[in-house]
Amino acid sequence: MLKIGFVGWRGMVGSVLLDRMRDEGDFAGIEVHFFSTSNPGGAAPEGGANARLRDARDIRSLAGCDVVLSCQGGGYTTEVFGELRATGWDGYWLDAASTLRLRGDATLVLDPVNGDLIRERLAGGCRTFVGANCTVSLLLMAIGGLIRAGWVDWVSTMTYQAISGAGARRLAELARQVRHLGECGARLRGASSVEIGAALTDAQRDESFPTEEIGAPLACSVLPWIDRAVENGQTREEWKAGVEAGRILGASAPLKIDGICCRIDALRCHAQALCIRLNRDIPLPEVESALLSGNDWVRLVENTQAATLRELTPAMVANTLEVRVGRLRRLSMGRRYVGAFTVGDQLLWGAAEPLRRMLSILREAA
Ligand code: HSE
């Protein structure tokens, strides 16, 4: 029976993964040992093979596992991965963090898109599998079918990313910002809409507005910068798009995907507005068929106001596994330009689900 060591099961990605594993009955047929960096010896969550938490820094204990599954973050991976491998451990390291994504011996996992590549690498002895950046995974879940058809020249993606992608503390701060504005608004009974707008703007700019974690007012605003700067004015989040998409698909070079990544005050879903340049004039119904052929979770939303507002918003897609694509139309720039808008839950297909499914692939292969 495959013995799994699960580290980082309490954080946002880890707890969503744990819930999904329970929902899918994944604990049957595997032995899961829960590890902790902060509370070894404490009580393990239900479903584990042992009632007590193991020490996540105990290399010998980790080395006793066939698979180490980490949602603990990049710092932990940096601290432990090399030391564990140095013992000669050749188990599977399965990780949500970005630390190992660019290693030559690592494979990025998104099996509805690159299942063949994953199985090929597995058969070839690959032992390090890593979940890709959430925005990239969601983009490929949305338009992977079109890319696979060989019709895409390049993609411009303008993102609207949920605060959960920035971590639990920032999500909590967004809630405080919303409450702050709500309380300010509640004091303005009888005020005109212009007065309300001005008072809320003043509140956002006031020193008392809670911005310690996020660094700026986000509630009722948008932050057009995610992660640190890299070269050419890009942010690292923007740089990842082409680089990681290429690695997921096993391409020898980055794909031509670029745009501006923005943080918005959505909670769980990342949305992306796309301009897709096709390499020839393809009728829209064929574009739609190619999109639908991508995987079982992509769903098209009719390009009408009613369907868009009902089905194509972060509020309506959160907590579902569907990756929706709508606003599909030919853009006025020319017949090879197609516009689309896509929304998906960044904690599910953007993080936990590819790892959960990789665990199933490992179980089947064992
Ligand atoms: N980098 C993403 C974000 C997190 O900031 O939204 C998901 O990988």
Side-chain angles (χ1 to χ4, degrees), residues 101 132-135 161-162 164-166 226 237 240 263 270 346 350:
R101 280 185 199 148
N133 171 268
C134 46
T135 321
Q161 297 183 219
S164 54
I226 294 179
E237 188 77 358
K240 282 176 182 175
R263 185 74 67 202
H270 286 354
Q346 75 91 15

Side-chain angles (χ1 to χ4, degrees), residues 39 45 51 57 78 108 121 124 137 162 215-216 218 241 266 296 300 306 326 336 338:
N39 189 27
R57 293 195 175 87
T78 303
L108 298 195
R121 294 270 171 85
S137 295
L218 177 60
D296 293 340
L300 297 187
R336 295 201 292 178
V338 170

Side-chain angles (χ1 to χ4, degrees), residues 112 144-146 148-149 286-296 298:
L146 203 56
R148 194 181 307 146
E286 286 184 40
V287 170
E288 290 177 353
S289 302
L291 289 169
L292 286 172
S293 75
N295 58 71
D296 293 340
V298 64

Side-chain angles (χ1 to χ4, degrees), residues 53-359:
L53 294 171
R54 295 186 179 198
D55 183 351
R57 293 195 175 87
D58 180 345
I59 299 294
R60 280 185 50 186
S61 184
L62 290 166
C65 298
D66 303 306
V67 181
V68 172
L69 167 58
S70 174
C71 298
Q72 181 70 27
Y76 175 76
T77 302
T78 303
E79 188 185 331
V80 164
F81 176 80
E83 199 183 336
L84 181 59
R85 284 282 189 234
T87 66
W89 179 74
D90 75 341
Y92 298 103
W93 181 276
L94 186 48
D95 205 330
S98 63
T99 318
L100 306 174
R101 280 185 199 148
L102 297 187
R103 282 174 66 109
D105 62 354
T107 301
L108 298 195
V109 294
L110 186 63
D111 73 284
V113 173
N114 70 347
D116 291 347
L117 182 72
I118 290 172
R119 288 184 175 83
E120 192 186 298
R121 294 270 171 85
L122 198 52
C126 180
R127 292 287 181 272
T128 305
F129 294 91
V130 188
N133 171 268
C134 46
T135 321
V136 182
S137 295
L138 290 168
L139 178 68
L140 290 190
M141 287 297 287
I143 65 163
L146 203 56
I147 294 175
R148 194 181 307 146
W151 293 340
V152 176
D153 251 358
W154 52 252
V155 182
S156 151
T157 170
M158 302 298 179
T159 75
Y160 304 74
Q161 297 183 219
I163 190 65
S164 54
R169 289 206 313 269
R170 290 178 181 147
L171 194 149
E173 184 168 87
L174 175 63
R176 290 196 293 279
Q177 292 190 355
V178 169
R179 192 171 61 224
H180 194 104
L181 291 181
E183 285 166 359
C184 176
R187 288 193 294 271
L188 295 169
R189 228 171 269 149
S192 72
S193 52
V194 172
E195 287 166 341
I196 293 171
L200 296 185
T201 303
D202 283 347
Q204 286 177 313
R205 291 175 181 170
D206 193 82
E207 266 182 13
S208 64
F209 200 68
T211 58
E212 241 168 61
E213 298 291 344
I214 299 171
L218 177 60
C220 296
S221 191
V222 56
L223 306 178
W225 189 281
I226 294 179
D227 209 339
R228 60 181 161 82
V230 293
E231 287 168 13
N232 302 330
Q234 265 184 326
T235 66
R236 191 156 172 267
E237 188 77 358
E238 290 152 5
W239 169 84
K240 282 176 182 175
V243 171
E244 291 194 17
R247 283 188 61 81
I248 290 171
L249 294 172
S252 53
L255 301 194
K256 283 187 196 164
I257 303 174
D258 201 358
I260 308 287
C261 288
C262 297
R263 185 74 67 202
I264 60 158
D265 50 2
L267 299 170
R268 277 186 62 138
C269 284
H270 286 354
Q272 306 184 52
L274 311 178
C275 169
I276 304 168
R277 186 181 195 264
L278 302 174
N279 49 26
R280 56 196 165 92
D281 179 4
I282 294 160
L284 223 42
E286 286 184 40
V287 170
E288 290 177 353
S289 302
L291 289 169
L292 286 172
S293 75
N295 58 71
D296 293 340
W297 294 270
V298 64
R299 212 188 103 201
L300 297 187
V301 176
E302 203 187 343
N303 186 21
T304 63
Q305 181 184 29
T308 300
L309 299 187
R310 192 177 56 236
E311 298 166 35
L312 195 62
T313 65
M316 301 316 283
V317 179
N319 296 313
T320 77
L321 282 164
E322 283 184 3
V323 176
R324 297 190 188 165
V325 184
R327 298 307 329 274
L328 202 63
R329 65 183 181 86
R330 213 175 281 282
L331 297 174
S332 56
M333 289 81 124
R335 296 198 57 78
R336 295 201 292 178
Y337 295 84
V338 170
F341 191 85
T342 176
V343 186
D345 189 315
Q346 75 91 15
L347 288 171
L348 288 169
W349 278 117
E353 198 62 9
L355 298 179
R356 189 191 73 75
R357 292 172 62 89
M358 186 62 211
L359 216 44

